[in-house]
Amino acid sequence: MDLDETAARLGVPVADVERVHSLAGDHPSAPLPPIGDAPALLDRLAVRPDDAAEIMAGWPDPDSPLWTPELRWLLDRSTALVRADLGGHTWLSPGPELPRDRGPAWRHLYVYAYLALVDVARGYHSDHGVADAVTWTSLADLGRNLAVDRRMRGEGWPVMQSWLTLHARGAVYELGRLQHHRGGAAIDLHIPESGPLTPQAIDASLDEARVFFPRHFPGEHYTAFACGSWLLDPQLREYLPEDSNIVRFQRRFELEPYEEPEGLDADVEVLRFVFRTLTTPLDQLPRRTALQRAAVDHLRAGRHWRWRRGRFPI
């Protein structure tokens, strides 16, 4: 492939295509499951019927007119890029952000890459003795993120396409209420949109992780649970009652000294997670919950939220 021409046809910077070419190298890709198996797989990955219908409509059949040579190249090489880092635990972009209004092949290219990697991820889990139930629950974050992106009218996916490479490489495991991200000296905690953040649910998830990681990754030694989130911003206590689930979650952590995060805007993240929108004017956002009112009132007062990191011993 001519990389300059490929980038032009994809409508992305040449540097982004060069990055995929360089990282994927000559590493093997992974095949998509047969189209006949796709509906059951999508259902198992918690993909909603409306999203599943779009994915099926754009399926990369060999004779599909939707799939240009440059799209097929990017699907193959982005899959190889992620597979080459199997077992890795850092954030990884699978490829450039595509113009998603050009049809299902463009909109869901990285979903097809994820589907191609499901058996690769399952093999990695199996090699580490991870139970099928944990594997499928963890991988089903695909459906949750597609549903969020639909609610956000396509604003959410650029972040999610990199986030989901963690699942495909065996870095993130959903154990009860929390997702646990292995790597480094601490297990990073992520909070999916899956119900109340009650102390009992948090305790149960942490207890499960204390058993899970020594059993399945005995060569990795963790001393703490850690989290980076706007949910740890102490400013929330100005608005929320002391017995709220969020405040009780905050109390578990010893915060690190505040540093402005590079490339991350906490105000944007609050809008993303509390309202699932990045473009709705503040005066049009809902105010049904104490958290929604806090988010809006804080920003309308000209103040800013902060992304804080904290940890506590395992």
Side-chain angles (χ1 to χ4, degrees), residues 112-169:
Y112 299 116
Y114 188 91
L115 296 176
L117 290 162
V118 164
D119 278 349
V120 174
R122 290 182 65 205
Y124 182 82
H125 284 211
S126 178
D127 288 345
H128 289 272
V130 176
D132 256 8
V134 173
T135 296
W136 286 111
T137 297
S138 302
L139 294 177
D141 204 28
L142 173 68
R144 180 189 291 134
N145 279 276
L146 284 168
V148 167
D149 183 60
R150 183 174 287 272
R151 284 169 56 192
M152 294 182 69
R153 298 180 177 86
E155 296 175 338
W157 191 257
V159 172
M160 296 172 190
Q161 70 185 43
S162 296
W163 159 245
L164 288 165
T165 69
L166 294 167
H167 306 61
R169 290 177 289 142

Side-chain angles (χ1 to χ4, degrees), residues 84-97:
D85 196 47
L86 185 65
H89 51 78
T90 59
W91 280 71
L92 177 68
S93 169
E97 181 181 345

Side-chain angles (χ1 to χ4, degrees), residues 8-46:
R9 290 181 175 178
L10 291 172
V12 302
V14 174
D16 289 351
V17 172
E18 290 174 342
R19 172 186 171 274
V20 172
H21 176 69
S22 173
L23 291 180
D26 58 0
H27 294 292
S29 185
L32 273 162
I35 191 169
D37 296 343
L41 176 61
L42 292 170
D43 183 64
R44 194 149 199 190
L45 295 173

Side-chain angles (χ1 to χ4, degrees), residues 197 230-233 236-237 240-251 291:
L197 200 65
W230 56 270
L231 280 171
L232 298 187
D233 188 344
L236 281 166
R237 299 188 188 187
L240 302 179
E242 283 296 307
D243 62 351
S244 73
N245 288 334
I246 290 175
V247 171
R248 288 188 286 184
F249 182 70
Q250 284 188 355
R251 288 201 200 106
L291 182 59

Side-chain angles (χ1 to χ4, degrees), residues 100-120:
R100 300 175 72 225
D101 58 353
R102 295 176 66 173
W106 298 76
R107 186 157 51 250
H108 295 305
L109 186 140
Y110 297 114
V111 174
Y112 299 116
Y114 188 91
L115 296 176
L117 290 162
V118 164
D119 278 349
V120 174

